Amino acid sequence: MKTPGGKGTGKGPGGRELTVRVKTARGRTASSTRWLERQLNDPYVARSKREGYRSRAAYKLIEIDDKHHILAPGMKVVDLGAAPGGWSQVAVERVRSSDTDPHVVAIDYLEMDQLPGVILFQKDFLDEDAPAALKAALGGPADVVLSDMAAPTTGHQQTDHLRTTYLCEVAADFALDVLKPGGSFLSKVFRGGAESSLLTTLKQNFATVHHLKPPASRAGSVELFILAKGFKGRRAAQADEPEGHDDGPGEDESWRP
């Protein structure tokens, strides 16, 4: 087939995928051209279209869950920063949520099409009344809190890191308030990992804490994910000293080829 402003795609000699080259068009910046070229050549983008996921981000959660087993049938899940809905789709499948028995509650200030099995709020999670709305929709404690929230990037790495770390911190505070004992918290952070104060809080409240970079996360991306498993519960956390394991700000060793 032909791509806008680019060469045809398909199979080359020996069945190899042909690389799509995108020409710079009037009104398109060089960075936009690079982004478009990367999208057209991304196997996860192609796979998401074939398999019906709304974004390639779905595979990040799939890979993390296949390895760390945080989602199971019947669990209640909160998805923060859900748009366009890839993580919610995976959560629905793995906890077996349905419209008649919804187990997934999602929120994003961006517009997002409804998903079967998801109670959706188009709202800024930072709004004062957002946490209460999510808790009311849950109807009880959560088993898993997911956060793929990230502040719009400025191009300044330190600023972007601090802004996204703040979103991770408020997501963690919410998780501590809604998780049941044994629950899990998974959140996006940027390169450099979580701040020491956040890591301390997570280690005090969870049995294990890891930084992860799943294969679906582009190698050149600054994103990492922090996974905290085995929520101790409020009373236990107050009594314990930090005991959780953290493998540092780099990727989980087991992801490396």
Side-chain angles (χ1 to χ4, degrees):
M1 70 176 182
K2 292 288 185 179
T3 57
K7 297 180 181 179
T9 63
K11 298 284 186 178
R16 292 183 296 108
E17 293 287 346
L18 295 179
T19 300
V20 179
R21 300 296 181 188
V22 180
K23 297 178 181 178
T24 302
R26 180 176 297 177
R28 184 192 298 149
T29 64
S31 61
S32 296
T33 299
R34 289 193 298 271
W35 179 88
L36 179 57
E37 188 170 287
R38 185 179 63 191
Q39 288 293 103
L40 292 171
N41 290 289
D42 190 324
Y44 285 101
V45 173
R47 184 179 169 190
S48 67
K49 291 178 180 178
R50 290 195 309 269
E51 298 181 356
Y53 289 113
R54 292 185 177 183
S55 69
R56 71 184 305 285
Y59 298 102
K60 301 171 190 177
L61 180 56
I62 287 171
E63 290 167 350
I64 290 171
D65 188 50
D66 283 350
K67 183 174 180 60
H68 294 277
H69 310 293
I70 60 174
L71 299 171
M75 285 185 171
K76 291 187 175 183
V77 180
V78 183
D79 185 5
L80 308 177
W87 278 25
S88 288
Q89 286 178 292
V90 175
V92 164
E93 293 171 357
R94 300 207 168 193
V95 305
R96 299 179 187 171
S97 185
S98 66
D99 282 341
T100 55
D101 187 20
H103 288 260
V104 179
V105 179
I107 186 170
D108 203 301
Y109 70 87
L110 297 173
E111 186 175 358
M112 174 176 145
D113 290 339
Q114 294 289 332
L115 275 170
V118 178
I119 301 172
L120 176 62
F121 293 90
Q122 185 179 351
K123 189 176 186 62
D124 192 333
F125 177 66
L126 297 180
D127 288 350
E128 187 175 348
D129 59 342
L134 294 173
K135 285 190 277 188
L138 276 171
D143 296 278
V144 181
V145 172
L146 307 171
S147 175
D148 200 23
M149 293 190 295
T153 56
T154 64
H156 186 266
Q157 185 172 327
Q158 184 177 6
T159 299
D160 293 339
H161 171 72
L162 291 173
R163 293 171 69 184
T164 296
T165 296
Y166 171 70
L167 293 176
C168 182
E169 288 172 344
V170 296
D173 285 343
F174 175 75
L176 297 180
D177 193 36
V178 301
L179 282 175
K180 64 173 59 173
S184 300
F185 171 62
L186 174 66
S187 179
K188 177 184 288 184
V189 292
F190 276 180
R191 186 170 294 155
E195 297 296 324
S196 59
S197 59
L198 175 58
L199 280 175
T200 298
T201 297
L202 294 176
K203 289 176 183 179
Q204 287 173 334
N205 286 277
F206 292 85
T208 61
V209 180
H210 300 274
H211 280 99
L212 310 174
K213 191 171 180 68
S217 181
R218 292 187 177 104
S221 170
V222 297
E223 74 176 6
L224 294 171
F225 295 90
I226 190 163
L227 173 61
K229 295 176 63 178
F231 180 54
K232 298 176 183 178
R234 286 177 165 242
R235 292 181 181 177
Q238 291 171 358
D240 289 348
E241 291 297 321
E243 296 175 352
H245 168 71
D246 171 51
D247 53 16
E251 61 191 75
D252 184 336
E253 293 287 340
S254 55
W255 285 117
R256 292 179 179 171

